[in-house]
Amino acid sequence: STDLTSTVGYDSIIQHLNDGRKNCKEFEDFLKERAIIEEKYGKELINLSKKKPCGQTELNTLKRSLDVFKQQIDNVGQGHIQLAQTLREEAKKMEEFREKQKLHRKKIELIMEAIHKTRNLQYKKTMEVKQTCCCFLLCGLTLLTHAQTVLKLAQTKSSLEDSDRSYQQSITTLEKIREEWQKEHIKACEFFETQECERINYFRNALWLHVNQLSQDCVQNDEKYEEIRKSLELCSIEKDIDFFINLRKTGSLAPAPVVYENYYNTQRNPTPVRSPVPVPISRRAPLPTPASAPGEPDYATVDGYSLI
């Protein structure tokens, strides 16, 4: 500003820096809130995988797939809890960066406040001396015009010279202070600009890192889900049916037919009925391939992933 005592430009810079600090605080709070959500979600997943029954009476290969499924869901929950801790650590780093900048900037602000105060006081003093000098000059001209004695003339001239000398000294002092203030102002602006560059760079990197952490979490979760898909690929309908049969079988022969016995007419000599020979149970035909009903998903493999 052309006004020597104005701080409009400086105040605008300080306001912008304060806004930047506030924006960092908002992102810091965002990370903390996200951490709370991730931790709660992770704990809920773990509780779900441990406490909620999910095919607990299944047998053999499908049972193993379900065990893998529950274990990986537990792992996903653990991953979300770990992510929550990571987000808290990042929020802490942002807080430390923000407070560090605040501390460094405070030192410069104190220097600028002091030099503003000195500059304004000297400017005020100079203007007062200037006003006094002008008054003495006007009064002196009047006295010189109406001078009555040599003594009054000498006194007036001396007062005018003292006033003018004081005014010159005040101007000289003000100029030195102005130069010092301008030099400090430039240094402060350069420092503030450096800080703002650091803040934008740190903020951008923090946001980039946060997105990478979320992407990494998704990748890790997909790896856990891939374990479930691999386990399901090993799930064999034929093996599970055979496993159940071998586990619960009661024998390999069918029951013999029931033979009629004549208890009513014991005098007759009935033709004896031969007891049939037990017939072994033949092996069943191949199991049918499960067909998908209308509206149900098909079994498929896409890009190496088994999808249902």
Side-chain angles (χ1 to χ4, degrees), residues 54-76:
C54 185
Q56 59 184 354
T57 61
E58 285 294 346
L59 303 172
N60 207 33
T61 63
L62 182 55
K63 181 180 186 302
R64 287 195 290 270
S65 293
L66 287 171
D67 290 341
V68 173
F69 166 72
K70 295 192 71 176
Q71 180 59 53
Q72 294 305 326
I73 293 299
D74 184 278
N75 291 341
V76 170

Side-chain angles (χ1 to χ4, degrees), residues 70-165:
K70 295 192 71 176
Q71 180 59 53
Q72 294 305 326
I73 293 299
D74 184 278
N75 291 341
V76 170
Q78 296 287 355
H80 281 282
I81 292 176
Q82 181 60 46
L83 177 60
Q85 181 60 31
T86 300
L87 295 180
R88 289 192 179 95
E89 292 173 358
E90 292 305 317
K92 183 64 177 177
K93 291 178 182 178
M94 176 62 78
E95 180 184 8
E96 291 173 352
F97 171 79
R98 182 171 52 82
E99 290 301 319
K100 181 180 179 181
Q101 277 209 328
K102 177 186 176 183
L103 181 63
H104 290 174
R105 192 170 75 237
K106 189 63 177 177
K107 297 176 182 178
I108 303 299
E109 289 183 35
L110 290 174
I111 293 174
M112 292 304 296
E113 287 175 6
I115 202 166
H116 283 161
K117 183 177 180 180
T118 302
R119 179 199 63 186
N120 293 347
L121 287 174
Q122 184 60 36
Y123 181 82
K124 181 180 178 182
K125 179 181 178 181
T126 301
M127 292 302 102
E128 289 175 350
V129 172
K130 179 181 178 181
Q131 185 67 28
T132 301
C133 185
C134 289
C135 290
F136 268 119
L137 181 59
L138 291 175
C139 293
L141 290 175
T142 303
L143 290 174
L144 285 172
T145 303
H146 302 88
Q148 296 178 355
T149 65
V150 177
L151 180 60
K152 287 184 177 180
L153 179 60
Q155 290 176 344
T156 301
K157 184 179 179 181
S158 177
S159 297
L160 287 172
E161 289 175 352
D162 290 342
S163 179
D164 183 65
R165 188 163 44 252

